[in-house]
């Protein structure tokens, strides 16, 4: 990994068949004349099929179907053998050829902090026929149904009743001192209620609540808004973990390096603790930024399952280096093996960077170990990734506390994607994640 061109070549092979998390769009000059360009089509008959849905989440989390997502089917060597497009309802039912092996989806995402879109490519390797679940995209420029406005929160009553405490409005926090001004927060009615919490001045107790801000631009907070007692999380933040979060998918979170963090079991049953650690690792001649984290469900008593953050030095760095050596041979398919790390379920490789009309990201998802071919992309799409600047490569591994075949993890991910309340599934009880990130311009 001493040269950018070599690294990009390696990444191109990995992105198409090893792992990833993102969108993948692939149009290759090696198309073997399948159903090129068809939209949600199927030849009928008894041929195996795939079904999938694509959804866009807007600024405040309102979801709607995403039409026009390009879907590419690859054979075992990575060539594109079928091309489809999701219909006006974001759906696709299509034939799965007998020699089909891998699947790629691609479309644009739009982030609020970028004027231009993010070209997103998501590839999954070793795919089986059947339902593929829901793939999510986002468009932060779309505020339809959000009804966003700025809400002012007079806090003088709280300052009088709970001096020197800390107020949390969603994810933002404020010290309540005699000189504190009233905070103003942007909130969208379409996002639902806002979760609030109040941490006592000594940090040893807390109260939480949920307030309705519909059609309000001012809300005077009082102790009456905090009706749920906090339960301290029974977890000591390791000295080398940068920060500890306790949070709920419903909106509130608090965090601390050393102090107690709280959950509110009478307010929500979707409470998690989330320690994380940052560092650096050396892979051959390259320096990588490392990140590892764990997210575990918290019980009503504030307890969690045992948490051990993964360490890149425990076999992970060696597995990444071995993969690079495989790719350096230029002879696909390339073997990868991350099973030496505890309970790895899936791996991903993500190539990202800037392009002339925005930025681009290609993620490939695969199992804990396997064989990756040289996945093909359409000529125009491939050219965009070849021309990336400020390019970055991530290789990550994810686990869910046990060992299962990739097909079983895919079934569980499918089940979670279609759950009415998909914020808790067996995949959310305990999750570990670790990645290495390489600056390809170094």
């Amino acid at each position: 990994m001493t040269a950018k061109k070599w690294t990009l070549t390696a990444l191109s092979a990995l992105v198409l068949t090893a792992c990833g998390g993102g969108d993948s769009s692939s149009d290759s000059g090696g198309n073997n004349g399948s159903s090129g360009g068809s939209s949600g089509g199927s030849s009928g008959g008894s041929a195996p099929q795939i079904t999938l849905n694509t959804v866009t989440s807007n600024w405040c989390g309102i979801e709607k179907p995403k039409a026009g997502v390009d879907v590419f089917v690859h054979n075992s060597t990575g060539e594109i053998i079928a091309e489809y497009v999701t219909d006006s309802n974001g759906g696709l039912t299509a034939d799965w050829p007998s020699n089909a092996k891998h699947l790629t989806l691609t479309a644009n995402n739009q982030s609020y902090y970028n004027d231009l879109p993010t070209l997103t490519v998501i590839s999954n390797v070793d795919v089986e026929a059947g339902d593929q679940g829901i793939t999510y995209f986002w468009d932060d420029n779309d505020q339809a149904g959000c009804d966003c406005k700025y809400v002012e929160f007079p806090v003088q009553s709280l300052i009088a009743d709970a001096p020197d405490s800390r107020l949390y409005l969603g994810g933002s926090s404020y010290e309540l001192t005699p000189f504190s001004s009233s905070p103003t927060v942007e909130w969208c009615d379409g996002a639902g209620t806002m979760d609030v919490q109040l941490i006592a001045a000594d940090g040893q107790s807390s109260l939480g609540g949920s307030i309705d801000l519909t059609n309000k631009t001012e809300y005077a907070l009082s102790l009456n808004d905090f009706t749920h007692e906090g339960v301290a999380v029974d977890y000591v933040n390791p000295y080398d973990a940068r920060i500890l979060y306790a949070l709920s998918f419903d909106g509130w979170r608090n965090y601390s390096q050393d102090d107690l963090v709280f959950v509110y079991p009478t307010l929500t049953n979707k409470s998690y603790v989330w320690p994380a650690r940052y560092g650096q690792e050396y892979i051959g001649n390259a320096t990588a930024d490392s990140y590892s984290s764990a997210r575990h469900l918290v019980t009503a008593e504030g307890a969690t399952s045992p948490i051990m953050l993964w360490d890149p030095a425990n076999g992970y760095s060696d597995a990444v280096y071995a993969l690079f050596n495989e790719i350096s041979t230029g002879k696909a398919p390339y073997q990868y093996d991350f099973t030496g790390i505890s309970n790895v379920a899936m791996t991903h490789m993500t190539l990202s960077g800037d392009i002339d009309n925005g930025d681009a990201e290609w993620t490939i998802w695969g199992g804990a170990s396997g064989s990756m071919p040289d996945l093909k992309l359409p000529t125009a799409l491939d050219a965009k990734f070849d021309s990336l600047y400020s390019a970055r490569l991530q290789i990550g591994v994810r686990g869910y506390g046990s060992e299962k075949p990739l097909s079983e993890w895919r079934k569980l991910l499918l089940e979670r994607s279609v759950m009415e309340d998909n914020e808790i599934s067996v995949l959310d009880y305990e999750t570990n994640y670790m990645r290495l990130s390489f600056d390809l311009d170094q």
Side-chain angles (χ1 to χ4, degrees):
M1 224 177 102
T2 57
K4 179 176 179 180
K5 180 176 177 59
W6 181 92
T7 306
L8 289 176
T9 301
L11 178 61
S12 177
L14 288 176
V15 171
L16 289 170
T17 56
C19 29
D23 252 334
S24 172
S25 116
S26 157
D27 228 339
S28 97
N31 194 328
N32 287 338
S34 56
S35 52
S38 67
S39 176
S42 170
S43 62
S46 59
Q49 292 187 323
I50 56 167
T51 59
L52 58 85
N53 285 276
T54 50
V55 169
T56 297
S57 180
N58 77 349
W59 172 255
C60 63
I62 296 175
E63 297 176 359
K64 64 181 182 182
K66 184 172 181 65
V69 175
D70 291 319
V71 180
F72 302 95
V73 178
H74 308 265
N75 64 14
S76 60
T77 61
E79 304 290 337
I80 296 174
I81 58 173
E83 304 177 25
Y84 305 109
V85 180
T86 58
D87 61 26
S88 59
N89 295 315
L92 174 68
T93 298
D95 289 341
W96 185 250
S98 60
N99 60 337
K101 188 69 172 176
H102 316 295
L103 187 68
T104 292
L105 289 82
T106 183
N108 283 337
N109 285 319
Q110 182 65 57
S111 301
Y112 71 92
Y113 51 83
N114 285 340
D115 293 331
L116 296 171
T118 298
L119 170 63
T120 304
V121 177
I122 304 169
S123 295
N124 288 288
V125 302
D126 298 327
V127 173
E128 298 178 354
D131 190 3
Q132 306 301 310
I134 301 173
T135 299
Y136 290 91
F137 299 87
W138 66 89
D139 183 359
D140 294 338
N141 283 343
D142 178 9
Q143 297 193 16
C146 291
D147 298 322
C148 300
K149 75 278 185 177
Y150 284 93
V151 181
E152 183 179 4
F153 294 89
V155 292
Q156 294 309 309
S157 175
L158 276 181
I159 293 174
D161 293 335
D164 299 321
S165 58
R166 178 176 289 274
L167 168 68
Y168 285 81
L169 301 172
S172 302
S173 65
Y174 306 88
E175 295 286 351
L176 297 181
T177 68
F179 303 103
S180 297
S181 58
S182 298
T184 298
V185 176
E186 184 180 24
W187 190 254
C188 305
D189 290 345
T193 57
M194 172 184 278
D195 293 329
V196 295
Q197 58 181 331
L198 196 63
I199 309 295
D202 63 3
Q204 300 302 300
S205 62
S206 69
L207 295 170
S210 185
I211 57 177
D212 186 357
L213 300 175
T214 303
N215 300 324
K216 290 183 173 61
T217 57
E218 182 177 290
Y219 192 101
L221 287 164
S222 71
L223 283 179
N224 293 331
D225 293 307
F226 302 86
T227 55
H228 302 264
E229 290 190 11
V231 175
V233 177
D234 184 16
Y235 176 73
V236 177
N237 202 22
Y239 72 94
D240 59 346
R242 181 178 181 183
I243 204 161
L244 172 69
Y245 296 84
L247 60 102
S248 162
F249 277 113
D250 294 323
W252 63 264
R253 65 177 60 200
N254 56 61
Y255 44 88
S256 172
Q257 178 71 45
D258 302 306
D259 299 331
L260 293 176
V261 291
F262 299 89
V263 296
Y264 301 86
T266 58
L267 180 62
T268 176
N269 66 344
K270 293 173 282 192
S271 300
Y272 295 83
V273 64
W274 193 336
R277 177 174 57 205
Y278 297 80
Q280 282 192 328
E281 293 291 322
Y282 296 95
I283 311 297
N285 294 325
T287 302
D289 295 323
S290 65
Y291 170 82
S292 57
S293 66
R295 191 185 70 192
H296 284 216
L297 191 69
V298 180
T299 69
E301 294 74 33
T304 70
S305 53
I307 299 175
M308 179 67 71
L309 295 181
W310 285 345
D311 187 343
N314 293 337
Y316 179 56
S317 297
D318 291 340
V320 171
Y321 186 64
L323 176 58
F324 286 166
N325 284 335
E326 272 279 300
I327 296 170
S328 68
T329 67
K331 298 177 180 179
Y334 308 107
Q335 307 303 313
Y336 64 98
D337 188 354
F338 293 96
T339 56
I341 307 155
S342 176
N343 296 332
V344 169
M346 304 186 76
T347 60
H348 81 86
M349 175 172 271
T350 300
L351 174 64
S352 61
D354 296 327
I355 54 179
D356 290 340
N357 58 341
D359 57 354
E361 177 180 277
W362 185 5
T363 303
I364 304 166
W365 288 95
S369 63
S371 174
M372 64 183 80
D374 182 9
L375 290 178
K376 305 302 181 184
L377 291 177
T379 301
L381 186 59
D382 190 54
K384 290 182 181 294
F385 284 96
D386 277 344
S387 63
L388 286 177
Y389 51 98
S390 299
R392 199 158 178 81
L393 168 65
Q394 286 186 357
I395 300 177
V397 290
R398 186 180 303 279
Y400 301 102
S402 62
E403 294 183 2
K404 292 181 176 65
L406 175 60
S407 58
E408 292 298 315
W409 291 123
R410 290 248 168 89
K411 289 178 182 177
L412 291 171
L413 289 167
L414 164 64
E415 291 173 3
R416 182 172 65 176
S417 75
V418 298
M419 288 172 63
E420 182 176 349
D421 183 358
N422 62 2
E423 294 172 348
I424 284 192
S425 78
V426 294
L427 296 177
D428 295 303
Y429 295 162
E430 56 179 274
T431 302
N432 276 76
Y433 178 70
M434 178 167 55
R435 69 170 180 256
L436 293 176
S437 300
F438 300 86
D439 181 355
L440 301 186
D441 292 324
Q442 65 179 323

